[in-house]
Amino acid sequence: MADTATTASAAAASAANASTDAPPFQLGKPRFQQTSFFGRFRHFLDIIDPRTLFVTERRLREAVQLLEDYKHGTLRPGVTNEQLWSAQKIKQAILHPDTNEKIFMPFRMSGYIPFGTPIVVGLLLPNQTLASTVFWQWLNQSHNACVNYANRNATKPSPASKFIQGYLGAVISAVSIAVGLNVLVQKANKFTPATRLLVQRFVPFPAVGSKLQ
């Protein structure tokens, strides 16, 4: 019965989209073909699109309702594929797929660039002190951990202790590598001041990459 309703909604949407470029809507499927690099690239851009951070509560409810109408075959006439794709993009950007709860804005995938960029800038600041190095590495790993937790697979609950262990391991290894490399660079007497400054700019990369899976 549900398949019949969905088919009816798809037919209605297709009829309304005869003159548009949007592909036929598929509930729960990516808008762009995943068989090519360009398609996967456009899909990724859709996921991290920061414009979804400004979606109002009313617009979110409308998007969710539109998808529910499509699912149950009660889609109103005139709804386009573009509207359906937009509604799905909004829902997937804001609501957790398993819990259906809103993801805190800084930890959404669409918030990764606006909230993560200041952290990256902080990691790359020149002439950092020990305190600033520790702070930026801690903040970066904390942000990554929160993003991973907020977007976790909630259908398979994991104990909080496992998350805490992973978080502490990431912070300790990142801070240790960053501080250790900075000390080594400072003690490298053969480096000119310019070379030392240049090498220090690359210290955050192995520190951050140490916990990438």
Side-chain angles (χ1 to χ4, degrees):
M1 185 68 179
D3 291 340
T4 302
T6 302
T7 301
S9 290
S14 297
N17 280 276
S19 60
T20 66
D21 295 331
F25 179 72
Q26 292 180 287
L27 187 64
K29 301 292 185 180
R31 173 173 180 168
F32 305 103
Q33 290 291 334
Q34 300 299 286
T35 55
S36 68
F37 171 80
F38 186 60
R40 293 190 295 271
F41 177 68
R42 295 182 69 184
H43 175 63
F44 180 73
L45 292 181
D46 242 10
I47 292 175
I48 64 172
D49 187 351
R51 291 177 298 178
T52 57
L53 296 172
F54 302 99
V55 172
T56 63
E57 188 69 29
R58 177 181 176 182
R59 180 70 184 94
L60 174 61
R61 289 197 301 267
E62 290 175 349
V64 172
Q65 186 58 53
L66 190 63
L67 295 176
E68 285 296 312
D69 291 345
Y70 176 88
K71 182 178 179 180
H72 295 101
T74 57
L75 201 62
R76 66 181 184 274
V79 175
T80 65
N81 282 320
E82 185 62 42
Q83 289 174 308
L84 290 168
W85 285 120
S86 178
Q88 179 163 272
K89 175 179 177 178
I90 290 172
K91 181 181 178 181
Q92 291 180 342
I94 299 175
L95 301 181
H96 192 284
D98 298 327
T99 65
N100 214 34
E101 296 177 352
K102 291 181 68 174
I103 300 173
F104 188 43
M105 191 177 291
F107 307 144
R108 298 174 191 170
M109 295 308 299
S110 56
Y112 206 79
I113 292 178
F115 291 101
T117 299
I119 298 176
V120 174
V121 173
L123 289 169
L124 297 176
L125 289 175
N127 302 319
Q128 293 203 41
T129 63
L130 175 63
S132 65
T133 298
V134 172
F135 170 76
W136 287 113
Q137 289 294 338
W138 165 79
L139 185 60
N140 179 62
Q141 294 299 337
S142 297
H143 181 246
N144 289 339
C146 289
V147 170
N148 290 335
Y149 182 79
N151 296 277
R152 71 196 184 283
N153 182 358
T155 60
K156 298 179 180 179
S158 299
S161 59
K162 185 176 181 180
F163 171 75
I164 294 174
Q165 288 174 1
Y167 167 67
L168 292 177
V171 172
I172 292 172
S173 63
V175 170
S176 299
I177 292 173
V179 172
L181 289 177
N182 272 322
V183 171
L184 289 175
V185 172
Q186 290 293 341
K187 291 184 176 181
N189 297 324
K190 293 183 179 181
F191 286 169
T192 64
T195 302
R196 184 177 291 111
L197 181 61
L198 179 63
V199 173
Q200 283 180 320
R201 291 291 182 91
F202 290 92
V203 166
F205 293 100
V208 171
S210 65
K211 289 305 293 181
L212 293 179
Q213 299 296 326

